[in-house]
Amino acid sequence: MALYHFHATQIKRSAGQSAIASAAYRSGEKLFSEYYGEVSDYTRKGGVSHSEILLSPHAPLEYADRQTLWNAVEKAERHPQAQLAYSFDIALQNEFSLEENIDLARQFLLEQFVSRGMICDFSVHLPDKEDGGIANPHFHVMCPIRPLKENGKWDAKQHRVYVLDENGNRIRDEAGNYVFNAVPTTDWSRPETLEEWRKAWADLCNARFEEKGLSCRIDHRSYERQGIEQLPTVHEGPAVRQMEARGIRTDKGDLNRWIRATNSMLRSIRQKISGLMAWLTEAKEKLTAAQSLDLAQALAAYYSVRNAGAYSQKAKVGNLKRYTEDFAFLESKGILTIDQLHEFVSAMSDKVFDLNGSTKEKATQMKKLKDLIRLVEDYTRLKPIVDAIPAKGGFGKKQEKYKAEHDSEIRQFYAVKRKLDNAGLPGKKLTPKQWQAELERLMEQYAAETAELKPIYADLKKLRDIQYKVDSALHDQQRRGHQRKQEVEH
């Protein structure tokens, strides 16, 4: 099955991240950070099938060495909260071989990134399933945020554009400083550029699908932008997929199974509604303005034809029983004419549309709550480790030793804290119990709403069966009318 995933983030010191550590993890290598004075060793990490660095035209040749490149980036970024690199996580296609996927990734990066002056450090991950690896191949890309000048030196990330008055003179603020706007040196961070890249990757994969004679396609747009009324699944991530691969059920896995089952039912319901609407339109066109098709009569005509060809009394009794069941169903729904059937199906369509919107909203809220609960659990677990950092006294060796021993936990704590701050929670009391209660309430409502789809599906399935019988009766009636006309003419 063709997959589309194109996720872009930034690697930042403010989130407790290191360019060297990030590059070592993605490439499965052992790298030394001059900035932190520490080694990041991921040589035992499995699943890295390929890694290489694509240099831009002005990049020094020594940047082809991963450790040299990212130490140069760390050195150029002096601010303790600096943004270090762009990070991309992009899904490859199971329909292509490993070599084809690597060639495709390289072509994309050369055409879209390197051509813009970006250096690309990319690694292809293809873990073995039996080792708990994820099922889908993907590649990671790291690109320095700071561009290079033509002489190979690092350029500024942004430059000042001073605000001018009507005479073209610089304007000062109340403190006497010139007012200016900080304008990025490149277009790499613009949303429009990311959209261009996302589309370019989809187009490149689709072109390769076409070359290989495959019918599958991918789309960079969300379901909503594509006009597809489908609930998006929650991104599981490697840890969750590894647990699921080992047979360990997870909350995210259960939620995604729930969402996929709902999507399957919604697709079937929409197909049945679409089929009924198309038939109703065709049937109405065949009727004159004075006619209104009596569905009960049409069903009676259908079973009369069935009885005429029945070989036993048992078959005739069975036909009578089915006619009685069909008529009772239509009568219970207040559907006796084709116009009433049209109104009934239209009302069902509206209800499905409303349920789809409501379940989509609840699925989004449940995802946010699950993420918040997980973040607070991590925050609570890691905070005592950070609080226990010794005060910097004397030469600070005790503090440095403690930080080195708990480096990963400290980094994770600040990454979690930043995410909670961005969620609009700084200074507020963390209430995971309330979030859990709200999550359970939403799950109950989600279950109740998805349960409403089941009787709709059953009704539509019954109506499609009745539609077939009514349509058969109409065709038989037209055929006999045509035969009578031919007999009269002859």
Side-chain angles (χ1 to χ4, degrees), residues 22 33 79 139 156 253 256-257 268 285 325 336 359 384 397 484:
S22 299
S33 170
H79 197 280
F139 68 104
N256 279 341
R257 278 184 282 275
S268 183
E285 289 176 353
E325 290 173 352
L336 300 177
T359 52
K397 291 184 178 180
R484 285 195 297 270

Side-chain angles (χ1 to χ4, degrees), residues 266-314:
L266 283 167
R267 280 194 299 271
S268 183
I269 286 173
R270 283 193 290 269
Q271 289 172 356
K272 286 177 170 56
I273 288 176
S274 178
L276 280 165
M277 284 298 194
W279 174 74
L280 286 166
T281 301
E282 183 182 353
K284 282 188 172 184
E285 289 176 353
K286 294 178 180 178
L287 299 171
T288 64
Q291 288 178 310
S292 181
L293 179 64
D294 188 311
L295 297 177
Q297 290 180 359
L299 280 173
Y302 169 79
Y303 282 109
S304 294
V305 173
R306 296 267 300 180
N307 276 340
Y311 291 100
S312 66
Q313 184 64 28
K314 183 178 180 180

Side-chain angles (χ1 to χ4, degrees), residues 325-342:
E325 290 173 352
D326 290 345
F327 179 76
F329 173 80
L330 290 174
E331 191 174 38
S332 69
K333 302 296 180 182
I335 305 172
L336 300 177
T337 68
I338 196 168
D339 290 325
Q340 291 172 336
L341 176 58
H342 190 279

Side-chain angles (χ1 to χ4, degrees), residues 171-187:
I171 298 175
R172 294 181 183 272
D173 59 19
E174 295 179 356
N177 300 315
Y178 289 116
V179 179
F180 65 90
N181 295 315
V183 179
T185 305
T186 69
D187 65 349

